Amino acid sequence: PAQQNENLNVVKIVKLALDIFNEKYIHFIADEEEIIAKLDRTQLIRVITNLVKNAIQAVPEVESPRILVSVVSHGDKVKISVADNGIGIQDGFKDKVFEPKFTTKSSGMGLGLGMVKNIVETYNGSINFTSQPGKGTVFTVMFPKEAKN
């Protein structure tokens, strides 16, 4: 679908994207009430929901699961992080995480992160993660606030 780039309040849209989840252990923080970036609203929501779904699937065996989603202004970029205290990503899988169809789960297609990466890179953004098996994972997405033409 064609991108509908508009000036969005990323803080508000991320909050909105989190509304579809009922898990009480999902927390949201932002350092400002408004961080504007030129993005496609649907694509941004898709990025957030995918990252949060992955985080939810990482925490089922954890005693007190916790997912923290944050939106921070970072110079001319906006930084969105999704952190969980779940099972983490094994070293052997780390370079495969963004491959289409890669999944460690029994259900689903494994398209999530590949698609997320495509969306992010369309905006000249970046996505990366740090993970410690047994401790959790943090995915960080950076979007430029101004779209490059």
Side-chain angles (χ1 to χ4, degrees):
Q3 288 179 6
Q4 300 298 313
N5 286 346
E6 47 183 333
N7 288 320
L8 299 177
N9 178 358
V10 179
V11 177
K12 193 175 126 199
I13 303 295
V14 171
K15 229 182 246 178
L16 197 74
L18 295 177
D19 279 350
I20 68 161
F21 299 102
N22 299 317
E23 287 75 9
K24 296 278 175 264
Y25 54 77
I26 298 175
H27 304 279
F28 175 76
I29 53 168
D31 65 348
E32 296 166 60
E33 276 174 36
E34 191 176 75
I35 301 170
I36 304 294
K38 217 177 182 69
L39 296 167
D40 179 293
R41 179 193 174 97
T42 310
Q43 305 275 49
L44 176 58
I45 290 173
R46 199 170 281 159
V47 166
I48 303 306
T49 51
N50 262 288
L51 290 174
V52 173
K53 273 182 195 154
N54 284 342
I56 289 170
Q57 286 165 334
V59 296
E61 283 97 52
V62 180
E63 202 172 302
S64 46
R66 198 171 153 77
I67 294 170
L68 181 61
V69 180
S70 64
V71 179
V72 184
S73 189
H74 203 277
D76 60 353
K77 295 185 168 68
V78 55
K79 175 176 159 183
I80 304 167
S81 300
V82 178
D84 68 64
N85 63 346
I87 50 183
I89 299 167
Q90 300 297 327
D91 286 344
F93 293 140
K94 284 185 177 171
D95 53 353
K96 292 194 176 77
V97 162
F98 296 110
E99 284 177 12
K101 298 191 177 43
F102 173 73
T103 181
T104 56
K105 300 182 288 287
S106 49
S107 67
M109 304 257 300
L111 294 174
L113 287 170
M115 184 187 70
V116 166
K117 189 176 176 23
N118 283 347
I119 293 174
V120 171
E121 289 179 348
T122 306
Y123 291 98
N124 299 306
S126 64
I127 178 166
N128 50 51
F129 66 93
T130 56
S131 186
Q132 285 184 292
K135 289 221 164 81
T137 303
V138 183
F139 273 90
T140 304
V141 175
M142 298 283 258
F143 283 117
K145 290 179 185 169
E146 284 301 315
K148 304 273 186 288
N149 293 330

